[in-house]
């Protein structure tokens, strides 16, 4: 049985973004808990501390959560649990401006990432996952497990009527994914 060495809490509304994060992290043998968006994360962290349980190595949360100011949470964590890293994800924004990223970092976030988009899922999953793995101490990327996971999620090449023929667009997407993973 494989031992989990890293523990991540993901806080996203129910939906595709949280499912993708949870699934790709688990593909890398990272222990993941997907918390509900109405969880009181500060209380959860305090309770873990009171029970002498390990805090997560990383917290990934959507910036659009209602009732939670992600920047205030970053400041609180920087003061109370500085060893835990926080990555914010704007689940609706395909690109993040450098000024937005700088603001998040000044507030105590390790980074602010954009959402995943279906058209560039493989490359954005690789980019986001590499960032997370670096934050977790340089954990090596298991490319085979990631591709397999993305294919199981239904983000690989779509088959046409003949079982072995893919569209040109699908072949190009798969070749692009392979070249992205090669660097």
């Amino acid at each position: 049985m494989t031992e989990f060495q890293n523990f991540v809490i993901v806080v996203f509304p129910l939906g595709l973004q949280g499912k993708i994060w949870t699934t790709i992290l688990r593909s890398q043998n990272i222990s993941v808990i997907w918390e509900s968006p109405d969880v009181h994360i500060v209380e959860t962290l305090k309770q873990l501390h009171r029970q002498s349980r390990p805090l997560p190595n990383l917290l990934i949360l959507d910036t659009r959560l209602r009732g939670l100011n992600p920047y205030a949470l970053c400041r609180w964590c920087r003061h109370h649990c500085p060893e835990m890293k926080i990555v914010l994800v704007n689940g609706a924004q395909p690109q993040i401006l450098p000024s937005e990223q700088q603001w998040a970092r000044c507030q105590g976030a390790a980074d602010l990432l954009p959402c995943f988009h279906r058209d560039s899922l493989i490359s954005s999953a690789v980019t986001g996952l590499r960032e997370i793995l670096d934050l977790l101490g340089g954990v090596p990327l298991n490319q085979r497990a990631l591709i397999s996971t993305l294919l199981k999620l239904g983000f690989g090449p779509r088959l046409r009527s003949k079982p072995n023929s893919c569209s040109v667009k699908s072949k190009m997407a798969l070749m692009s994914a392979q070249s992205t993973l090669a660097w």
Side-chain angles (χ1 to χ4, degrees):
M1 187 166 153
T2 307
E3 182 179 318
F4 289 106
Q5 296 181 5
N6 289 297
F7 168 37
V8 175
I9 293 179
V10 174
V11 185
F12 273 83
L14 294 178
L16 190 57
Q17 297 295 313
K19 181 176 182 174
I20 293 170
W21 273 112
T22 301
T23 305
I24 66 174
L25 289 166
R26 286 181 179 153
S27 81
Q28 302 302 301
N29 209 28
I30 295 170
S31 179
V32 180
I33 295 176
W34 183 359
E35 281 286 1
S36 158
D38 20 308
V39 70
H40 296 286
I41 196 67
V42 171
E43 288 305 315
T44 300
L45 295 172
K46 286 178 182 179
Q47 184 177 8
L48 287 171
H49 182 63
R50 279 191 304 268
Q51 295 174 351
S52 298
R53 293 185 178 251
L55 292 177
N57 303 91
L58 182 72
L59 178 63
I60 302 175
L61 63 108
D62 194 320
T63 58
R64 305 167 304 148
L65 297 172
R66 292 181 183 194
L68 175 70
N69 179 332
Y71 302 107
L73 176 65
C74 290
R75 291 188 299 271
W76 184 90
C77 287
R78 182 173 52 193
H79 181 71
H80 291 93
C81 40
E83 68 282 355
M84 185 181 70
K85 296 174 178 80
I86 300 175
V87 172
L88 302 176
V89 177
N90 187 318
Q93 211 170 301
Q95 292 182 335
I96 303 295
L97 297 174
S99 57
E100 292 173 302
Q101 240 174 358
Q102 182 62 32
W103 172 254
R105 289 179 181 149
C106 286
Q107 300 303 305
D111 208 348
L112 172 62
L113 302 176
C115 66
F116 295 117
H117 267 230
R118 189 173 200 77
D119 295 342
S120 61
L121 177 66
I122 294 174
S123 62
S124 59
V126 169
T127 301
L129 188 55
R130 282 187 181 205
E131 168 98 18
I132 298 303
L133 295 175
D134 285 346
L135 289 170
L136 292 173
V139 176
L141 174 68
N142 183 336
Q143 297 175 10
R144 183 167 284 167
L146 176 61
I147 294 253
S148 174
T149 296
L150 291 172
L151 290 173
K152 286 177 188 171
L153 279 173
F155 293 107
R158 305 254 190 271
L159 296 178
R160 290 160 91 57
S161 57
K162 295 180 188 175
N164 291 328
S165 71
C166 295
S167 70
V168 172
K169 186 176 178 182
S170 295
K171 286 180 183 177
M172 290 174 57
L174 189 56
M175 288 180 357
S176 171
Q178 291 168 339
S179 67
T180 301
L181 290 173
W183 57 262

